[in-house]
Structures are given as C-alpha cells and as structure tokens.
Amino acid sequence: DVLFLMKFSAVIFFCIQLDFTITLISRCHPNEAGVITSPFHPRKYPDNQNCSWQITAPQGNRVNLEIDMGLQIQQCGPLNACTCDYLQVQNGFMADPDSNNKICGAPGETITFYSILEILQVLIVSDDTQSKQYHGFSATYTQLSYTSSSKL
C-alpha cells in the first residue's frame, strides 16, 4: 500500500442552532491539510449548537482526521453514552476498532479516524446544559491516496 498527501476538492462547514437558524456557512479549497475546530475554540463552545463539516477528497482518495488530545466535551449518560454533547464522525472508522464514533469527555489522547470513501462528515452537537464549561476540539485533516491491497 502506498499512502501520500494530495489536494482536497472541498471542505464545507455549517453550524446551526438547535432552533434551525443558520449561523455560519463557509466553503474552502485547502491544499494538503487543514484544521477544523468547535465554535470559538480554544474558548468554550456555546449551548444549542449543531455544527457539521464535510471533508471531501478527490475521487479514489481517503481522508485522515486526527482529533487533538485536548478534546474536552461535556460527558453525561451511562457508560460514555454521550447523551448531552458529543463529537461524531460519520462515513469513517477509528483506528481503535473497539470504540464507537461518538466522543465526549476528555480522553487525553489523540483520536484518529479514516474515511471509508472520499467523504468524512464531522458533527459537534451541544444541548442547553453546561456546555459553556468545555473547550471543545481541534482536529487536523489530511488526505491519503488509496491503493487497493488486493493481490492477483
């Protein structure tokens, strides 16, 4: 397998309050890598947010996302159920196969995701309880060329 960095075709970001008003829309075309953060990071993120990033690589490539070890998201619910606030990565998988794709709390380590296809969707959701006490997240994305490892 050969992996190397390439250009991204698009990154789309939007953030809505839970009452469904659009608060921000941004589109950019980064080169090899980029950074996404929760609203107002490194300051504390607000209540009642539903923010989404869609990171798209050119066809045939994959997205690598590394969430910084400083992640701090409100944790509540039994056994890390993340029922209040959470960070969720869709269309991807974690380097740790025993974990689910919803993250909260303060794990204290870098968390890595890989997209299944060309698109990786990242969400942060906050409810109306105590969110302003947490700093949220910062994550770096890079693009990987994908080469099938099938053998003849």
Side-chain angles (χ1 to χ4, degrees), residues 6 57-62 116-118 143-148:
M6 297 180 68
Q59 187 173 359
N61 294 301
R62 303 298 183 259
I116 295 168
L117 295 172
E118 295 87 7
Q143 181 178 214
L144 305 172
S145 74
Y146 176 74
T147 305
S148 175

Side-chain angles (χ1 to χ4, degrees), residues 5-26:
L5 297 176
M6 297 180 68
K7 292 186 178 182
F8 282 93
S9 60
V11 175
I12 301 170
F13 167 73
F14 65 90
C15 187
I16 59 174
Q17 294 178 337
L18 292 183
D19 62 4
F20 299 105
T21 20
I22 295 175
T23 56
L24 177 64
I25 297 176
S26 174

Side-chain angles (χ1 to χ4, degrees), residues 67 73 118 126:
I67 301 167
I73 296 176
E118 295 87 7
S126 65

Side-chain angles (χ1 to χ4, degrees), residues 4-147:
F4 59 93
L5 297 176
M6 297 180 68
K7 292 186 178 182
F8 282 93
S9 60
V11 175
I12 301 170
F13 167 73
F14 65 90
C15 187
I16 59 174
Q17 294 178 337
L18 292 183
D19 62 4
F20 299 105
T21 20
I22 295 175
T23 56
L24 177 64
I25 297 176
S26 174
R27 297 170 191 256
C28 60
H29 299 277
N31 290 328
E32 290 94 17
V35 175
I36 60 174
T37 65
S38 52
F40 306 113
H41 189 275
R43 296 184 312 235
K44 297 172 181 164
Y45 64 90
D47 292 336
N48 297 318
Q49 297 293 300
N50 185 344
C51 301
S52 175
W53 296 261
Q54 179 177 303
I55 306 167
T56 305
Q59 187 173 359
N61 294 301
R62 303 298 183 259
V63 179
N64 169 258
L65 182 75
E66 292 190 359
I67 301 167
D68 186 85
M69 62 191 293
L71 170 85
Q72 188 183 59
I73 296 176
Q74 181 184 7
Q75 180 176 355
C76 59
L79 301 172
N80 300 329
C82 303
T83 57
C84 296
D85 299 355
Y86 58 88
L87 177 69
Q88 184 174 30
V89 178
Q90 299 173 339
N91 304 322
F93 61 94
M94 293 178 76
D96 176 3
D98 295 329
S99 300
N100 67 26
N101 290 352
K102 242 184 201 184
I103 304 165
C104 59
E109 63 187 19
T110 300
I111 301 170
T112 302
F113 282 90
Y114 300 96
S115 67
I116 295 168
L117 295 172
E118 295 87 7
I119 297 173
L120 194 66
Q121 185 88 19
V122 182
L123 307 167
I124 185 168
V125 175
S126 65
D127 66 6
D128 61 355
T129 60
Q130 303 179 10
S131 296
K132 292 181 182 168
Q133 298 178 18
Y134 302 90
H135 293 280
F137 78 98
S138 175
T140 302
Y141 58 88
T142 55
Q143 181 178 214
L144 305 172
S145 74
Y146 176 74
T147 305

